[in-house]
């Protein structure tokens, strides 16, 4: 279980690159699909003179919400106001989190998880629907419009697949979202945004606690190799958040989002106290 987080992210068109060889932000060998929550892949290409290595361009993208498997809609929002765009995109992710938690509850039930975990997942789905409405209302007030959620059909998942998604979407994604919302609740210039994020932050902290409780319940039921896969996926997803790109300064002030330097310090504190400590 985690302690309630203390601050959060938003990329614009800034992108960075990684390859299958090299530095701490690169990935060597096979990568679980579940690490994709932390970044949106813009494109990949072969590295010249190499028969097996590729380099990928990706955009850091962790605004909040628990992305469901099969999410097809990107949630991108047009318009000139960066704050309106940001809230429209976050509202889309929160709406997508509703089926994510509903499915999580159903799969926990299938795997004979404790009743309290199932109940908490169902409560989280209700929370996320409320968040989508609250954040969507802010987006619309500022001239944005959240896009509808589109989901592709998905198959049932094994316990290790559930654990991988929970590690990335919950232990990393929901934990970071709670930190982000807590910072916004204190720092946003817009009083309506501050009031909204106070409510969102408390719920997201509870969702993060749920993710870590699920992780603790699943871990003893996995093999040693499966536990290593889960830890690797969680570590890669957390590392992808370490160096957030710069944002529009007006967006940072109005929405209470931390500047890159502060976000990096917040990441370091969270990694030291939670992600690395849980390794």
């Amino acid at each position: 279980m985690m302690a309630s987080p203390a601050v959060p992210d938003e990329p614009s068109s800034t992108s960075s690159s990684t390859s299958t060889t090299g530095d701490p932000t690169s990935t060597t060998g096979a990568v679980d699909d579940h690490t994709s929550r932390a970044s949106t892949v813009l494109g990949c290409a072969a590295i010249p003179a190499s028969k097996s290595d590729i380099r990928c361009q990706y955009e850091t993208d962790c605004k909040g919400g628990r992305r469901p498997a099969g999410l097809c809609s990107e949630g991108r929002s047009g318009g000139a106001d960066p704050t309106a765009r940001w809230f429209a995109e976050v509202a889309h992710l929160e709406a997508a989190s509703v089926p994510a938690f509903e499915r999580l509850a159903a799969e926990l039930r299938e795997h004979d998880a404790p009743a309290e975990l199932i109940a908490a997942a169902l409560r989280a789905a209700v929370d996320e629907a409320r968040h989508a409405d609250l954040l969507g209302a802010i987006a619309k007030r500022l001239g944005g419009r959240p896009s509808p959620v589109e989901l592709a059909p998905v198959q049932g998942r094994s316990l290790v697949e559930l654990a991988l998604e929970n590690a990335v979407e919950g232990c990393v994604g929901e934990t970071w979202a709670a930190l982000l919302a807590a910072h916004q609740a204190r720092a946003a210039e817009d009083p309506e945004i501050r009031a909204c994020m106070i409510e969102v932050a408390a719920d997201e902290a509870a969702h993060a606690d749920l993710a870590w409780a699920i992780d603790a319940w699943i871990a003893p039921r996995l093999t040693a190799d499966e536990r290593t896969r889960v830890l690797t996926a969680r570590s890669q997803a957390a590392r992808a958040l370490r160096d957030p790109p710069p944002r529009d300064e007006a967006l940072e002030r109005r929405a209470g989002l931390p500047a890159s330097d502060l976000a990096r310090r917040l990441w370091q504190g969270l990694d030291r106290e939670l992600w690395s400590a849980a390794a």
Side-chain angles (χ1 to χ4, degrees):
M1 298 283 269
M2 59 162 277
S4 294
V7 170
D9 180 271
E10 132 70 4
S12 53
S13 59
T14 303
S15 66
S16 51
S17 65
T18 185
S19 71
T20 55
T21 60
D23 63 46
T25 60
S26 69
T27 304
T28 304
V31 180
D32 268 301
D33 290 342
H34 303 272
T35 61
S36 63
R37 98 86 71 218
S39 57
T40 299
V41 177
L42 303 178
C44 297
I47 295 176
S50 173
K51 295 182 179 180
S52 59
D53 293 332
I54 61 171
R55 176 174 288 109
C56 295
Q57 293 286 123
Y58 63 92
E59 181 182 54
T60 303
D61 187 10
C62 185
K63 299 183 180 74
R66 189 181 186 108
R67 296 171 191 253
L71 180 62
C72 301
S73 48
E74 292 187 359
R76 297 297 184 192
S77 175
D81 189 326
T83 308
R85 290 198 306 270
W86 194 89
F87 276 97
E89 292 167 14
V90 175
H92 170 267
L93 291 173
E94 296 290 334
S97 298
V98 176
F101 276 111
E102 291 173 341
R103 184 182 183 200
L104 175 63
E107 291 183 325
L108 287 170
R109 187 177 292 111
E110 290 172 4
H111 290 292
D112 297 319
E116 59 267 25
L117 295 182
I118 299 169
L122 292 173
R123 286 195 301 272
V126 175
D127 293 341
E128 299 291 25
R130 188 175 69 259
H131 297 173
D133 289 342
L134 290 170
L135 299 170
I138 291 175
K140 291 173 184 176
R141 172 171 67 86
L142 300 175
R145 184 164 296 277
S147 59
V149 173
E150 299 176 9
L151 296 173
V154 292
Q155 302 296 318
R157 294 179 296 183
S158 66
L159 193 60
V160 67
E161 288 171 328
L162 191 158
L164 286 163
E165 182 190 70
N166 182 69
V168 173
E169 297 296 330
C171 297
V172 174
E174 294 278 3
T175 302
W176 187 245
L179 190 66
L180 169 60
H183 185 271
Q184 290 180 272
R186 296 194 304 273
E189 287 184 350
D190 187 312
E192 183 180 342
I193 292 175
R194 286 200 308 274
C196 174
M197 299 317 293
I198 289 171
E199 181 174 341
V200 171
D203 291 338
E204 294 295 347
H207 302 170
D209 278 340
L210 171 61
W212 288 97
I214 291 171
D215 182 79
W217 173 76
I218 290 180
R221 292 163 175 79
L222 302 178
T223 67
D225 287 345
E226 289 170 341
R227 287 194 294 272
T228 297
R229 285 179 61 196
V230 171
L231 177 59
T232 299
R234 189 175 72 211
S235 297
Q236 289 175 345
R239 271 205 312 277
L241 300 177
R242 181 178 54 193
D243 297 307
R247 299 185 201 85
D248 181 271
E249 291 184 5
L251 168 63
E252 290 176 349
R253 292 193 305 272
R254 193 173 190 183
L257 294 162
S260 296
D261 287 348
L262 175 57
R264 192 173 298 110
R265 292 197 300 274
L266 293 168
W267 182 93
Q268 290 168 345
L270 192 57
D271 182 58
R272 180 177 61 252
E273 296 178 14
L274 188 59
W275 290 325
S276 291

